[in-house]
């Protein structure tokens, strides 16, 4: 069936295709084909022109084919496909990158035929404007709904497209849909359902008018003003390419009586017309003023819509609103006690407003933020990699201020609380100071340093307008096959507890008095409880093997291992707690495995009840969707279990409607809702958000500063654990010729690991920092060959930096495409260099790597963990500027078959025990057994006196004596008491610790 046959008459077309659109007007230019799907555009990718698929993972891209169809609207073939998408997926037609971009500016819009399946799903349609090529262009988007059956021609005027705010591949180009340099289009298919589709004949249609090239915008969608003040709204003309307008543009304005403010009582109505004459340049601005009136009554906020009618240009996407600020109400009085402010505000809230406060959405889901107002949302977040464009401190602050402005348009003007996963520095921000991951901080055994890293993180996060950090992770990692193990400070709850000084770095004083400061943030203890103890093979999430699985423990084990860090966190005043995705199976309680988001006995009973936690509980990302039952059951179960705020990134509309229905039906109690909202409001008041909702960027100049990087450098240095040092290979000397090799020597992305700029992280350079190689070049005579292919003769020593590439969460689980072995390339580099010269091997990884088969050929071995952006810290210990002082925060296994293996196990025979760590900066005390005896007596005395610093120093001396004697002859009989000693030292039992070390010494 040919186009000519279809267009013989409107009557015939309508009979054949009941949803077809009318024929274009006679004065329109002829349609311009973009895709006929007859094979003229191949399935290919850049730089050639082509159609290609994409998706969130390997299963998400749709399967496409050119299918012969007798009912094809044009030609003989159509583009057909099937899809089953869990994350995101679709396809793109990109023009060739090595050819000029196309000019679509003469046309009204783009249209195509779609074979409707009547599934009610929205399909996003995107066009690519400006930039270098199809993959470096501005993305403009709209959507249509598949709510019909059979072929229908979908016409989309270019005026319907809006700039994408959730994702842009490059920095903003000009935020104007130019249409003169177009690189193609893309379709995003529905998620969560299996489906099929067919489309045909993509073409440009119609004649462009000036409204495609000119638009009228206002400086904001919301204009708050104090009662009695005058609101000022700036109206700006913008044109494609900044060309003057050919025809006049008029803007008629009038205050509409449809708002909550009363004309004549709350404001003076205004109306009029603004004119931009022909020839007006782009960027010209006019001003509208609206006077408000003052009375003596206390009031909530009131709105005045400003209706704009535009001729000759595209109107603003939204009707701007003037908001007369709430005033005179007790909750707004900063002098009142916090409890009275909370109670007063709560008493004024509707159910919808309360439900909104319990809701957290992803920034990418709310676009410019109108839904913040519409749904009274209490919180937004950035998931991993969800950043503004460009990714700068100023852009973060502008974005968050824009969202806070939306909250000002709500009746009670309750500010948003914005959250982000800053788990090792402000890791979503390009150029921020990136700390070692927690496993490296655990290796430092330095609580004061942990507090400093938290303070740096808080300072950089708050300076971008973010008051809430989803950190620290207080998991006690018991199995290094877990993809989140690097988020843990270690395998010993005593070590985790000792490093919780980071909470004071983030929040300040335990009573919350510092939270209002411009360099503090609300912290989050996660993931409550037992996430680090999940059993290998118990996960039911996709291809995960251990993450989000089941933790099986006795009640005693639960209390001693996994709950202990939360007792400390509550004592330190932690502001929020996040439950774990995982399930908890307490042996003997008869419940079996229960998802933590459903365990009211633990959240309400233990955390809020017994421990006295007075902050609020925030769910993990879409975690309630993993609970049993239908969606109302998910909501009801989690709220009743004690979860106060739900992280429902893209499902906030369903959540708010469902929770309100559950309350109205009496299935969720209003008292429970009030408790949740009171907890949330309390933290917002403590943060000072009611007085200062917008970003305080005074500290932005400190982001990535030398002072902040000095803290990260110190942390990187102290995190380095020297496991072996035969022949005194380390520290290196400046006059040595050093041969450097290995995949992780010069890769900042591998060095920083997951949760860096994106959720999973990535290899390569994507932020600012110093690689280990670059740092070494500052200190010595270095030659680099990544794969050790360069000649190895003539060098004094080799340094081979190997290890893992980035991952996060269950994606990084061993068995899910990962293992604990070095790559074949890394093994080859180690073998070649270490066979040619004395060598030191550095392992940059989130967990121990199995190295035992090569240990004999390696002179020095260093666990470098994931040191962050400051490779100088690693070079500092390599070249002796700082001593090696780090100790293993986890047990280093001999084989994967040993896992899980942890300090305190009855059977314990590791490659290196928990707590092991040689030093290059302290002379080992002489005297052997006699010295140990004396150290034991002194340690016991220090313990009795409560002299913790002295006690720890005495234990360290004893440890060094044992390590020197044992060397690499570590046996089970040595390893067990050695590891036990470190645990005892962390719990303040210094005399017993030296006794255990003495036991190891005697065996050795």
């Amino acid at each position: 069936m040919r186009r000519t046959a279809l267009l013989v008459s409107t009557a015939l077309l309508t009979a054949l295709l009941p949803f077809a659109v009318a024929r274009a007007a006679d004065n329109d230019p002829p349609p311009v084909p973009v895709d006929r799907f007859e094979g003229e555009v191949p399935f290919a990718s850049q730089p050639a022109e082509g159609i290609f698929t994409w998706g969130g993972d390997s299963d998400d891209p749709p399967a496409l084919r050119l299918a012969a169809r007798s009912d094809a609207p044009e030609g003989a073939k159509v583009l057909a496909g099937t899809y089953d998408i869990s994350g995101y997926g679709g396809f793109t037609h990109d023009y060739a990158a090595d050819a000029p971009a196309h000019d679509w500016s003469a046309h009204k819009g783009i249209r195509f035929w779609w074979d409707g399946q009547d599934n009610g799903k929205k399909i996003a349609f995107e066009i690519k404007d400006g930039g270098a090529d199809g993959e470096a262009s501005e993305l403009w988007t709209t959507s249509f709904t598949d709510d019909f059956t059979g072929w229908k021609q979908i016409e989309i005027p270019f005026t319907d497209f809006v700039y994408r705010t959730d994702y842009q591949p490059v920095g903003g180009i000009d935020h104007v849909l130019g249409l003169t340099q177009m690189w193609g289009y893309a379709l995003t298919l529905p998620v969560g359902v299996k489906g099929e589709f067919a489309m045909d004949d993509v073409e440009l249609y119609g004649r462009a008018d000036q409204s495609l090239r000119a638009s009228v915008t206002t400086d904001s969608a919301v204009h708050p003003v104090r009662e009695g003040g005058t609101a000022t709204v700036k109206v700006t003309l913008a044109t494609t390419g900044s060309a003057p307008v050919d025809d006049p543009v008029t803007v008629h304005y009038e205050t509409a009586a449809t708002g909550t403010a009363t004309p004549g009582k709350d404001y003076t109505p205004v109306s009029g017309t603004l004119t931009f004459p022909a020839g007006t340049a782009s960027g010209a601005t006019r001003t509208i003023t609206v006077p408000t009136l003052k009375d003596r009554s206390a009031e909530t906020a009131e709105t005045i819509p400003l209706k704009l009618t535009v001729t000759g240009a595209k109107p603003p996407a939204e009707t701007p609103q003037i908001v007369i600020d709430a005033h005179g109400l007790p909750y707004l009085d900063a002098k009142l006690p916090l409890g009275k402010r909370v109670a007063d505000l709560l008493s004024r809230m509707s159910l919808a407003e309360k439900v909104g406060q319990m809701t957290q959405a992803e920034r990418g889901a709310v676009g410019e933020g109108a839904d913040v107002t519409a749904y009274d949302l209490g919180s937004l977040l950035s998931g991993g990699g969800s950043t503004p464009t460009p990714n700068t401190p100023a852009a973060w602050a502008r974005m968050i201020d824009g969202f806070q402005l939306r909250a000002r348009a709500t009746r009670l003007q309750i500010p948003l609380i914005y959250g982000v996963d800053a788990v090792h520095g402000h890791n979503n921000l390009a150029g921020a100071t990136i700390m070692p991951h927690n496993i490296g901080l655990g290796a430092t055994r330095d609580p004061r340093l942990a507090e400093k890293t938290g303070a740096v993180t808080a300072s950089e996060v708050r300076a971008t307008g973010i008051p809430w950090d989803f950190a620290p992770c207080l998991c006690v990692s018991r199995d290094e096959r877990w993809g989140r193990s690097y988020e843990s400070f270690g395998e010993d709850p005593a070590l985790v507890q000792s490093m919780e000084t980071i909470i004071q770095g983030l929040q300040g004083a335990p009573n919350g008095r510092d939270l209002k400061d411009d360099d503090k943030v609300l912290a989050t203890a996660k993931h409550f409880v037992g996430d680090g103890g999940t059993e290998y093979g118990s996960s039911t999430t996709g291809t995960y093997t251990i993450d989000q699985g089941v933790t099986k423990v006795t009640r005693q084990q639960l209390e001693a291992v996994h709950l202990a860090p939360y007792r400390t966190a509550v004592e330190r005043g932690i502001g929020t707690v996040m439950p774990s995705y995982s399930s908890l199976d307490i042996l003997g309680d008869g419940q079996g495995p229960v998802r933590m988001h459903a365990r009211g006995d633990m959240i309400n009973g233990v955390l809020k009840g017994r421990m006295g936690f007075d902050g609020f509980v925030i769910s993990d990302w879409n975690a309630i969707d993993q609970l049993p039952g239908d969606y109302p059951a998910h909501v009801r179960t989690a709220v009743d279990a004690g979860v106060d705020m739900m992280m429902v990134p893209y499902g906030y509309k369903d959540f708010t409607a469902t929770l309100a229905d559950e309350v109205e039906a009496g299935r969720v109690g209003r008292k429970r809702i009030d408790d949740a909202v009171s907890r949330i409001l309390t933290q917002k008041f403590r943060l000072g958000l009611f007085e200062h909702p917008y970003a305080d960027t005074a500290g932005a100049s400190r982001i990535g500063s030398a002072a902040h990087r000095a803290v990260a450098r110190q942390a990187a240095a102290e995190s380095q654990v020297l496991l072996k040092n035969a022949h005194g290979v380390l520290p290196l000397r400046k006059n040595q010729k050093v041969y450097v090799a290995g995949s992780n020597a010069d890769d900042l992305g591998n060095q920083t690991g997951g949760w860096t700029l994106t959720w999973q992280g990535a290899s390569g350079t994507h932020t600012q920092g110093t690689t280990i190689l670059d740092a070494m070049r500052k200190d010595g005579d270095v030659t680099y060959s990544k794969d050790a292919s360069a000649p190895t003769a003539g060098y004094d020593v080799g340094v081979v930096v190997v290890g893992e590439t980035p991952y996060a969460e269950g994606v990084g689980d061993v068995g899910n495409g990962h293992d604990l072995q070095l790559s074949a390339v890394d093994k080859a580099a180690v073998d070649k260099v270490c066979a040619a010269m004395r060598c030191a091997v550095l392992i940059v990884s989130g967990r121990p790597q199995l190295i035992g088969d090569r240990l004999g050929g390696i002179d020095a071995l260093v666990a470098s963990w994931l040191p962050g952006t400051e490779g100088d810290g690693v070079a500092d210990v390599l070249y002796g500027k700082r001593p090696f002082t780090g100790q293993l925060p986890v047990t280093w296994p001999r084989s994967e078959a040993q896992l899980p293996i942890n300090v305190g196990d009855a059977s314990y025979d590791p490659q290196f025990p928990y707590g092991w760590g040689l030093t290059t900066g302290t002379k080992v005390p002489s005297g052997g057994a006699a010295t140990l005896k004396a150290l034991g007596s002194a340690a016991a005395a220090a313990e009795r006196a409560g002299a913790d610093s002295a006690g720890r120093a005495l234990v360290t001396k004893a440890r060094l004596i044992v390590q020197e004697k044992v060397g690499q002859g570590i046996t089970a009989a040595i390893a067990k008491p050695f590891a036990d000693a470190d645990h005892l030292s962390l719990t303040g039992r210094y005399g017993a610790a030296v006794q255990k070390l003495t036991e190891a010494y005697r065996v050795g």
Side-chain angles (χ1 to χ4, degrees), residues 135-213:
E135 300 309 291
S137 57
E138 280 188 348
L139 306 183
W140 292 73
T141 188
T142 186
S143 66
F144 65 95
T145 302
D146 188 337
D147 56 0
F148 53 91
T149 303
W151 288 106
K152 177 182 178 180
Q153 193 172 41
I154 307 295
E155 286 194 345
I156 306 177
F158 290 129
T159 50
D160 284 359
F161 286 90
V162 296
Y163 183 82
R164 274 190 69 172
T165 57
D166 58 333
Y167 170 74
Q168 287 286 341
V170 293
I173 297 170
D174 58 12
H175 292 210
V176 175
L177 181 56
L179 296 171
T180 57
Q181 286 187 300
M182 303 303 295
W183 292 103
Y185 66 90
L187 276 82
T188 302
L189 296 165
V191 173
V193 292
K194 289 185 178 181
E196 59 183 28
F197 75 92
M199 69 181 297
D200 198 17
D201 190 25
V202 183
E203 65 182 12
L204 309 176
Y205 75 95
R207 182 181 302 279
D209 57 37
Q210 182 170 280
S211 65
L212 289 176
R213 298 188 179 91

Side-chain angles (χ1 to χ4, degrees), residues 738-746 773 777 782-787 790:
V738 182
Y739 185 101
V740 179
S743 60
N744 285 354
D746 194 32
L773 174 66
R777 282 174 168 157
V782 169
T783 297
Y784 174 57
S785 175
K786 182 176 180 179
D787 60 358

